[in-house]
Amino acid sequence: SGPCKENILLGDDVDLYRFPAPMVHEGDGGRYIGTWDIVVFQDPASEWANWGMYRFMVHNQRYMVGFPRRHSHLGMILHQKFVPEGKSMPIALVLGADPMCHQVATASYGIGVSEADYAGALRQAPVELVKCETSDLLVPAQSEIVIEGEILPDMTAQEGPFGEYPGYRTEGARMGVLCRVKAITFRNSPILTMISLGTPPDDNSIATPIASAIAVKRRLRKRDIPVTDVYSPPAAVLHIAVIGVKSGGRKVAESILDALTERRADWSKVIMVDEDVNVFDMDQVMHALATKCHPNRGIIHREVEAGKANPLTPHYTPEERRAYKGAMALFDCTWPPEWSKETRIPIKTSFETIYPKELQDMVVKNWKEYGFTEGGER
């Protein structure tokens, strides 16, 4: 038992219209009950239960229709493990869980790895889980609403259009996966969490890049790429990644592109910087791009084969989006490894690089006495 079990609707009592699914944007194809959600599902061949964030629109009282991209974890398990067998796929759509649980659901954490454990580690406290009423799936017990259902292997329904996280509505209505709702459990007076996606800033552009950058940093380090940190600026809506490395050059750049296009390529642009650049300071990143990226040898292109690209990328053609096909560019803002520090690499004339540490410490210590505020203004 748990708070999400205070009310239980089964059988003929199931009714999605009892909940205030909003019309998020003018022009959307319907009312979306699943936006800032957690969709729980399991690989039937293992004990791996995955959490993801996927949009689901109310189709009628007993059905929802969604758009999981085919290379997402949900799309992959559905089309590889359930559709070929003609079997329905159990899922649970969770609303109003702990905020850290939702944030973890936004990240592509890794096949076979538990997001529940990951969320517990970040929270510094285990996530309490409770079993669903109509399946063996485990969901956060403190959730506000849990919609239990099954995605049908042989039926689809019209879904969308929907204003997605890049800040554009790039596609019209399409056929989406159809989910039959079997049960709904919820707290008394439940809160339905949702998100109004659009141009930054919004909830997604602030929260999702954090979890995604952590996942990419982990993936690059598993390949022994000398990464220092990864950042995706909120304004970049998950289309640009800034990756800091201890040592750069063409070989490292190609390794990064290999890692980022291996299974799915969500980002279309990567800015690679040396470790003296703070990846979280966009002024430093822009300075590195302007002064260290060679227009010819510094821009490396990579085609993303069909089935792996992000179909929500606005600058792709409609044909590319439908084929999940695209491209990626890496901007190498590092000094070539063969350049000598003594003879080839220019001297950086910044406060941190050309003045003795003793002088730097004295200036910082006496900054306010000089008549400056913390921001450097008189």
Side-chain angles (χ1 to χ4, degrees), residues 200-263:
D202 61 22
D203 310 68
N204 181 78
S205 65
I206 299 298
T208 306
I210 299 172
S212 298
I214 292 172
V216 168
K217 182 178 177 180
R218 177 174 168 269
R219 190 192 317 173
L220 296 178
R221 285 186 169 173
K222 284 179 67 175
R223 286 173 166 259
D224 295 324
I225 296 172
V227 60
T228 56
D229 229 321
V230 179
Y231 178 55
S232 184
V237 289
L238 286 178
H239 283 59
I240 295 177
V242 182
I243 299 178
V245 293
K246 294 179 181 178
S247 58
R250 183 82 182 204
K251 184 176 180 181
V252 173
E254 293 284 0
S255 297
I256 290 174
L257 289 174
D258 289 342
L260 296 183
T261 58
E262 181 179 34
R263 190 178 69 84

Side-chain angles (χ1 to χ4, degrees), residues 158-187:
Q158 183 171 298
E159 191 271 344
F162 183 70
E164 265 289 356
Y165 70 87
Y168 292 90
R169 189 168 64 232
T170 52
E171 288 287 350
R174 67 177 80 197
M175 302 310 291
V177 299
L178 189 64
C179 176
R180 178 166 53 210
V181 179
K182 302 175 68 177
I184 305 176
T185 69
F186 56 98
R187 290 175 179 252

Side-chain angles (χ1 to χ4, degrees), residues 74-101:
L74 177 56
M76 179 183 68
I77 295 297
L78 173 65
H79 291 287
Q80 292 181 5
K81 304 294 181 69
F82 287 93
V83 172
E85 300 293 326
K87 295 180 179 178
S88 297
M89 178 179 183
I91 68 166
L93 189 146
V94 176
L95 301 168
D98 180 278
M100 190 60 71
C101 293

Side-chain angles (χ1 to χ4, degrees), residues 53-325:
M53 186 172 286
Y54 303 92
R55 75 191 200 211
F56 273 89
M57 185 181 82
V58 174
H59 184 64
N60 57 31
Q61 292 167 293
R62 298 288 300 274
Y63 288 86
M64 303 183 298
V65 58
F67 174 62
R69 289 174 278 173
R70 292 184 70 92
H71 57 32
S72 68
H73 287 161
L74 177 56
M76 179 183 68
I77 295 297
L78 173 65
H79 291 287
Q80 292 181 5
K81 304 294 181 69
F82 287 93
V83 172
E85 300 293 326
K87 295 180 179 178
S88 297
M89 178 179 183
I91 68 166
L93 189 146
V94 176
L95 301 168
D98 180 278
M100 190 60 71
C101 293
H102 284 276
Q103 179 141 340
V104 166
T106 68
S108 180
Y109 186 50
I111 295 174
V113 184
S114 168
E115 276 92 355
D117 289 346
Y118 183 29
L122 293 176
R123 294 170 71 243
Q124 296 291 286
V127 179
E128 295 178 332
L129 302 175
V130 63
K131 192 174 82 69
C132 285
E133 297 295 311
T134 60
S135 72
D136 292 329
L137 295 174
L138 300 176
V139 296
Q142 303 294 328
S143 306
E144 296 283 335
I145 304 170
V146 177
I147 302 172
E148 303 178 21
E150 57 183 4
I151 296 178
L152 305 176
D154 55 353
M155 295 183 70
T156 59
Q158 183 171 298
E159 191 271 344
F162 183 70
E164 265 289 356
Y165 70 87
Y168 292 90
R169 189 168 64 232
T170 52
E171 288 287 350
R174 67 177 80 197
M175 302 310 291
V177 299
L178 189 64
C179 176
R180 178 166 53 210
V181 179
K182 302 175 68 177
I184 305 176
T185 69
F186 56 98
R187 290 175 179 252
N188 295 327
S189 300
I191 299 170
L192 191 150
T193 53
M194 55 83 65
I195 181 174
S196 181
L197 294 163
T199 55
D202 61 22
D203 310 68
N204 181 78
S205 65
I206 299 298
T208 306
I210 299 172
S212 298
I214 292 172
V216 168
K217 182 178 177 180
R218 177 174 168 269
R219 190 192 317 173
L220 296 178
R221 285 186 169 173
K222 284 179 67 175
R223 286 173 166 259
D224 295 324
I225 296 172
V227 60
T228 56
D229 229 321
V230 179
Y231 178 55
S232 184
V237 289
L238 286 178
H239 283 59
I240 295 177
V242 182
I243 299 178
V245 293
K246 294 179 181 178
S247 58
R250 183 82 182 204
K251 184 176 180 181
V252 173
E254 293 284 0
S255 297
I256 290 174
L257 289 174
D258 289 342
L260 296 183
T261 58
E262 181 179 34
R263 190 178 69 84
R264 52 188 282 188
D266 286 335
W267 284 323
S268 59
K269 302 173 188 69
V270 176
I271 300 175
M272 184 176 73
V273 297
D274 284 314
E275 61 180 337
D276 66 327
V277 176
N278 180 357
V279 300
F280 303 103
D281 185 336
M282 291 311 295
D283 285 343
Q284 291 189 34
V285 173
M286 288 297 100
H287 180 259
L289 178 64
T291 61
K292 298 171 73 173
C293 180
H294 193 284
N296 283 332
R297 58 173 169 76
I299 303 176
I300 305 167
H301 296 92
R302 175 72 61 88
E303 292 294 320
V304 177
E305 60 187 81
K308 294 184 177 182
N310 182 355
L312 300 178
T313 302
H315 57 69
Y316 289 160
T317 66
E319 293 74 23
E320 288 175 318
R321 289 197 294 267
R322 294 189 191 104
Y324 287 65
K325 184 180 179 181

Side-chain angles (χ1 to χ4, degrees), residues 33-47:
I33 197 165
T35 51
W36 190 251
D37 57 19
I38 302 171
V39 178
V40 181
F41 54 95
Q42 187 164 349
D43 180 357
S46 69
E47 296 182 353

